[in-house]
Amino acid sequence: MNNKTLQQLVDKNFNNYKKGKVADYIPALAKVNPKQLGITIYDLKNNDRIQAGDVDVRFAIESMSKVPVLLLAIKDRGIKKVFETINTEPTGFAFNSIMNMEINHRKHPMNPFVNAGAIATTSLINGKDAKEKFERILAFMREICDDPDITLNKEIYQSEAKTGDINRSLAYYMKGNQMIEEVPETLEAYFKQCSVDVTATGMAKLAAVLANKGVAPWSNQRIVSEESATIVKSIMTTAGLYDESGEFSVHVGVPAKSGVGGGLMAAVPNSYGIGVFSPALDNCGNSVAGIQLLKDIVQELDLDIFK
Amino acid sequence: MNNKTLQQLVDKNFNNYKKGKVADYIPALAKVNPKQLGITIYDLKNNDRIQAGDVDVRFAIESMSKVPVLLLAIKDRGIKKVFETINTEPTGFAFNSIMNMEINHRKHPMNPFVNAGAIATTSLINGKDAKEKFERILAFMREICDDPDITLNKEIYQSEAKTGDINRSLAYYMKGNQMIEEVPETLEAYFKQCSVDVTATGMAKLAAVLANKGVAPWSNQRIVSEESATIVKSIMTTAGLYDESGEFSVHVGVPAKSGVGGGLMAAVPNSYGIGVFSPALDNCGNSVAGIQLLKDIVQELDLDIFK
Amino acid sequence: MNNKTLQQLVDKNFNNYKKGKVADYIPALAKVNPKQLGITIYDLKNNDRIQAGDVDVRFAIESMSKVPVLLLAIKDRGIKKVFETINTEPTGFAFNSIMNMEINHRKHPMNPFVNAGAIATTSLINGKDAKEKFERILAFMREICDDPDITLNKEIYQSEAKTGDINRSLAYYMKGNQMIEEVPETLEAYFKQCSVDVTATGMAKLAAVLANKGVAPWSNQRIVSEESATIVKSIMTTAGLYDESGEFSVHVGVPAKSGVGGGLMAAVPNSYGIGVFSPALDNCGNSVAGIQLLKDIVQELDLDIFK
Amino acid sequence: MNNKTLQQLVDKNFNNYKKGKVADYIPALAKVNPKQLGITIYDLKNNDRIQAGDVDVRFAIESMSKVPVLLLAIKDRGIKKVFETINTEPTGFAFNSIMNMEINHRKHPMNPFVNAGAIATTSLINGKDAKEKFERILAFMREICDDPDITLNKEIYQSEAKTGDINRSLAYYMKGNQMIEEVPETLEAYFKQCSVDVTATGMAKLAAVLANKGVAPWSNQRIVSEESATIVKSIMTTAGLYDESGEFSVHVGVPAKSGVGGGLMAAVPNSYGIGVFSPALDNCGNSVAGIQLLKDIVQELDLDIFK
C-alpha cells in the first residue's frame, strides 16, 4: 500500500460521515466540521509511514487519552498496583454507567477504558497536585506521540469541567467505596487529559509504540515496557470501543481505542500503528467513517489478529 | 518443546488443583477426581502433537460445547443470520445471569458464550426435532475433534436436564421476547450438547482447526470457513472464560474457551491448538491448574497474541 | 351518596376511557369495548350497596386474582409460611420484571402482587394437582365475591397459557433458586386464576369482606381471619397498582388492587368495599377512568386513610 | 394507657437493644450508648401526652429530617412543583442506592425518603445560600417539634460532610441528569439537616401535627396544609422504613419514619403522634427496640390503619 492507494480508500469511505453526527454534549465539539477524514499508517517493517486526508488537523483526544494515561500509571506505579486498583473485565454497560460497579458488587472499577476506571487510573499518576499530574501526562503524551505541539485546548477543558457531573458522580462513588482517594484534583487532571488536541499522525505514532512492544520505532528508544504494551493491547481488544467493543473485535479484529473527538487508533502487534480521524460518530460514540476505513485497511493488509 | 519438557510443566502445575474444587451442582461432576491434569498441544508447523498427563481421560465438555455448536450454527444458517440473532458483546455478568438482557434493554442475547446466547445458538441448528439437532451436533463434534468415540454421557445429561431450571428461565425469557421460538426441543439439544464426554486431545484438535483457519491439519480438509474460525477466535478472546475473560486476556492472551467439566482449549492463530483438562475450578468456573499450565505454555512458546 | 349522585360521577368520568387503551397482548382482551364504566359501592354501615353503570358486565379478573388467592394461601398455609416464602416489599420494578430478584439478591419474590410473588402464592394453594388447586381457588372466589356464576373464561385462559412465557421464565427462575417446587402445575392454576370472569359488584363484595375485617357483611359469616384481611389491605396500599402504587397511595389513599382486565377494587377499612370496571388502561396497566372515578368517590366520601 | 403502663411496655422491650447495634459509619454515632429507650405519645383526643424512658435525651435526627424538610419544601414550592421534581414510588433498593434511578430509567429520584430524593427535596428549599436554607429548615423544625432547643450538632455535621461521598455521588448524578441544579450548597444544607439533635418528645409533637391534619394540637395553629400532611403520611407508609417499609406496614401498620440516630416517629391519623428513641439498629437501619415497642403500642391501642 502506498499513499495513493490509501487516498483511494479514504475517498471511498469519506461519505460515511453522513451516517453519523459529531458529538454535541459540549459546544466546542458540536461545531467541528463532520466532513473530515484522515489516516496515518506507521509501518514498522519499513519504519516509514503512509498517510492520506486530514492527518494534521488537530482534534480532541477525549477517550483515547485513556491509553497513554494507563501506560504512564503503569510506569509510575507498576502493573501490580494499577491492576489491584482497576479490574480488566469488559462491562456490557455504557462507558459512563454509574450502576455497573454497584450491580456487579465490584470493589474496583471494571476496566481502565470506562470512565470510572479511567478516573481511577488518573488518580494513580504521580504528581503533588492536579497541575503537576497533568504536566506529567502532557509531557508523556508529547513523547509517545512524537508530537511536541500537543497542548491543552482550554475551550474543550472548560466545557468538560462544566458538564462533567456524571464523572463527578462516578468519582465520589469510588471515593465513598474506597477505590480512589482524592476527587477534585483527580478530576481536574482527568478533564484536562481528555481536552488535549492531537492529530491522526500522533495517534499513529502512539499506536506504533504499542505495536512495537513499547519501543519508539522512530528513535529505537524504549518508552514503555513490553509487558505494559502487551496488556494495553489486550484491554483495547476487549474494551476499546465502548459497548461496541465485541462487535468491532469480531468484524475488524485489531486492538483499537476510540474517542468522541472522532479519533481512532489501532495497534497491530509487530506490524502497524494506525491513527484515524473523522468526527461524525455512531450511536456508541465511535467514528463511523473511521471504523469503516480501518476495516478496509485491515482487510487490505490482512491484519486481523484472530485470522 | 517436546513431551518431556511438557511433562515437566505438567508436574510443576499439578498441585494447583488444591486451590480449586470440582463443580458440585450435579453429582456426576462432584465425584470427578480433582487430581488430574493433562495437556495436548497440536503444532501446526510440524503437523505433530506433544502431550503429557491425563490426555485420554474423558470428561464433560460442558461450556466448551458452545464453540463447536456456534460453528455448526454458522454452517447451517450463515454468519449474518446467526449474529442477527445473537450479539457479540461481553456482558460483565455471570454466565447464567437472567438480568443482563433486561437491564441492558437488549433484544438479543449478549454473546454466544453466556448461557442465553448459547441456547439461542442451539435453537438455530438445523434438524426437525431435538433428536436430529443433537445427532447433527454430535456428528460435527466427532468430525472437528477427530474423535469418533465422543458420546452422550447419559448420567450427566439427566442431571443437567433435572437441575437446568435457570436455563429454562433464560429460554422462556428469550421466547417471551421473540429471541427464540421453541423451548423444550432447544433445551433438550442444549443439555445434551453440554453432556458429551471428550478428551484433552480432542479439544486440542478442535482448537487446531480454529488455529488453522478452519482446515483440519490432520487431513487438510476444510471443516469450517476461514471467516467463521476468525470470528469464533475473537469471541473466545472477549468472552471465553466467563467473567474472568478480561483478566485471562490480559495475563495469558490467547483465544480460549473453558468448561465446568475442567476443560480448557486455546486456539493460537496459525500455530497451535491446545487442549487442557484438570477438573478443580476457581470461583469463576475455570480450571485452576489448566489456566496456570496454559499460562506457562504461552510464555514458554511466546504465544501471547497481543505481544 | 345515592345511586343518582353516583351515576353523575360515572357520567363525569366516562370519557376518561379516551386517555387509555385496552390491553392488547391477547386477542380476547384486545376486543373488549373500551366504552364501559361501572361501579358498585358496598356500604358497611347501612349494609347496602349503591351502583351505577356497567356493574354486571363480566370481565377478566387478571391481577385482581392475586388478592383472593393470597387470602386462600393464608387460609391453607398460615401467615407464617406464606410470608416466609414471599416477601412484602414494594419493588420499584415492573410487575413482570425478571431482574428484581437477582439484582436485590432476594431469596424470595419481593411481594405477592408482582407476578413472581403471585405465582409463588399459587404454588402454596392446597390441592393434589392443578385441577384441584384451581377448583379450590374458584370455589373460594365464588364465596368471597358472593357470586356463584364466576367461571373460567377458556378463551382468555388459552391465550394466557399460550403467551405466558415471561411467567414461565419467572417460575423456572424461582424453581432454580429454591423458591417454588413445581412449575407446570402451578402455572396452569395461575393462568386459570387470572382468566375467570367477574363483575364490579363481585369485586365490591370481595373488597367489602376485606373492609369488614374478614366477615362477609351480607351473611355475617367470617370468610378470612381479621389478621389476614389487615395484612392484605396493607400490601394493597404499598404494591396494589403496579409501579404506580406509590402515586396512587399519595393521590387517592385507599387500599386497592387493579387488573389489566380493567378492574379495580378498593377496601376502605370499616366502611366501604368498592368495585370498578372500565377496560381502557394507562401505561402502567391501570384503568384510567376507574382511577379517576375512584378518586372522586374517595374525595366525596372523605375516605383517604392517610387524612 | 397511662405513664405507668407505658413504662411497663418500655421495660418489656428494653432488652431488644441487644439484637441490634448502633450506627458506626461515623464516630459521633458509634459512641452513643445503646442502652437507651424512650417514648412519648401525644394523644390528640385528650390533647395530652404520656411518656416513659429516655424521652429528653438528644439524638441525631438523621433520616427523620426528610419529613419536616419535605413539608417545608411543599410550603415553599407547592405540591405540584415538589412532586414534579421527585416521584413517590417505593424503590425496593437500599436508601443510598446509586443505581435505582439509572436502572429504572427514571428522570426523577424515586421518592423523597431515599437519599437521592431527600437531597432533591432540600434543593427546593427557599434561601439564597446553604446558610439561609439551613436556618429556615432549623426554624421550621423548632416550630413543628415545639422545641426551641433544637440545634446543629457540629460534630455530627462535620462527620457527615466528611464521609458523605455517596451522597455527593447521588447529587452529581442528579445534576448531570437535570434533576437538581446546585450541588455543594444543597449538600451543605442536607448534611446539616441530618445533624440536628432532637428528642423523642419533639418527634412525637411533629408526628402529632401530621396526625392532626397539619394543625399543632398544643396551639391550634395550622403549621402545614391538610393536603401535605395527608401526602406525607402516605409516603411514610410506602417508604418510611428503608427497605423494610413493606414489612413494617404489614406487621405494624402506621405511617412512620425512622433515622439511623435511633429515632422513630409514627403519625396515626386523627389520634396519636408518637416519638421513640433507641439507638441500636437492625440490618436495615431501623431501631430494633423502637420497632418492637411501637408494635406493642399499636396493638395495645388498636392503631393499625389497615385493620
Side-chain angles (χ1 to χ4, degrees), chain C residues 41-202:
Chain C
I41 302 178
Y42 200 109
D43 180 349
L44 295 180
K45 282 187 193 98
N46 306 318
N47 198 16
D48 197 8
R49 60 182 208 252
I50 55 174
Q51 59 189 53
D54 302 302
V55 297
D56 298 321
V57 175
R58 297 233 159 236
F59 59 95
I61 189 170
E62 297 290 354
S63 282
M64 285 190 299
S65 69
K66 290 163 182 170
V67 172
V69 176
L70 176 58
L71 290 166
L72 182 57
I74 294 173
K75 277 174 87 89
D76 281 359
R77 299 297 190 99
I79 285 170
K80 190 158 174 290
K81 170 68 181 169
V82 168
F83 295 110
E84 276 170 8
T85 305
I86 303 144
N87 285 168
T88 54
E89 291 304 315
T91 75
F93 286 92
F95 66 99
N96 60 355
S97 174
I98 190 82
M99 70 180 156
N100 61 25
M101 289 174 286
E102 185 179 340
I103 203 171
N104 286 301
H105 297 264
R106 293 264 173 184
K107 301 283 186 197
H108 307 275
M110 289 193 69
N111 71 63
F113 292 166
V114 290
N115 285 14
I119 292 166
T121 306
T122 302
S123 79
L124 296 175
I125 297 297
N126 286 338
K128 69 175 190 298
D129 56 18
K131 188 165 174 290
E132 189 174 317
K133 277 173 190 276
F134 175 64
E135 279 169 2
R136 294 190 66 252
I137 290 171
L138 187 61
F140 181 70
M141 285 179 172
R142 287 171 174 168
E143 179 189 14
I144 200 168
C145 295
D146 190 32
D147 178 0
D149 297 332
I150 294 178
T151 51
L152 181 67
N153 181 323
K154 282 181 189 162
E155 185 187 357
I156 300 266
Y157 166 62
Q158 280 157 1
S159 291
E160 289 288 347
K162 192 176 168 192
T163 64
D165 293 311
I166 299 299
N167 286 323
R168 282 184 189 91
S169 180
L170 290 165
Y172 280 112
Y173 181 84
M174 290 192 287
K175 178 155 187 267
N177 287 284
Q178 292 78 49
M179 302 181 199
I180 68 172
E181 284 170 21
E182 170 60 44
V183 172
E185 299 227 332
T186 298
L187 284 175
E188 182 185 329
Y190 177 74
F191 290 138
K192 283 181 176 167
Q193 81 181 44
C194 293
S195 305
V196 302
D197 278 336
V198 295
T199 65
T201 298

Side-chain angles (χ1 to χ4, degrees), chain A residues 114-226:
Chain A
V114 290
N115 285 14
I119 292 166
T121 305
T122 303
S123 79
L124 296 175
I125 298 296
N126 286 338
K128 69 174 190 297
D129 55 19
K131 187 165 174 291
E132 191 175 315
K133 277 172 191 277
F134 176 64
E135 280 169 2
R136 295 188 67 253
I137 289 170
L138 188 61
F140 182 71
M141 285 177 171
R142 286 171 175 170
E143 180 190 13
I144 200 167
C145 296
D146 191 31
D147 178 0
D149 296 332
I150 294 177
T151 51
L152 180 67
N153 182 324
K154 282 181 190 162
E155 186 187 356
I156 300 265
Y157 166 61
Q158 280 157 3
S159 291
E160 290 288 348
K162 194 177 168 191
T163 63
D165 293 310
I166 299 300
N167 287 322
R168 283 184 188 90
S169 179
L170 289 165
Y172 280 112
Y173 181 84
M174 290 193 286
K175 179 157 187 267
N177 287 285
Q178 291 79 48
M179 302 181 198
I180 67 172
E181 284 172 18
E182 169 62 44
V183 172
E185 299 227 333
T186 298
L187 285 175
E188 183 185 329
Y190 177 74
F191 290 137
K192 282 180 177 168
Q193 82 181 45
C194 294
S195 305
V196 302
D197 278 336
V198 294
T199 65
T201 298
M203 289 298 104
K205 287 185 158 180
L206 193 169
V209 175
L210 289 172
N212 198 36
K213 298 187 196 290
V215 173
W218 56 87
S219 68
N220 262 327
Q221 299 266 310
R222 174 163 298 283
I223 298 185
V224 298
S225 69
E226 179 174 343

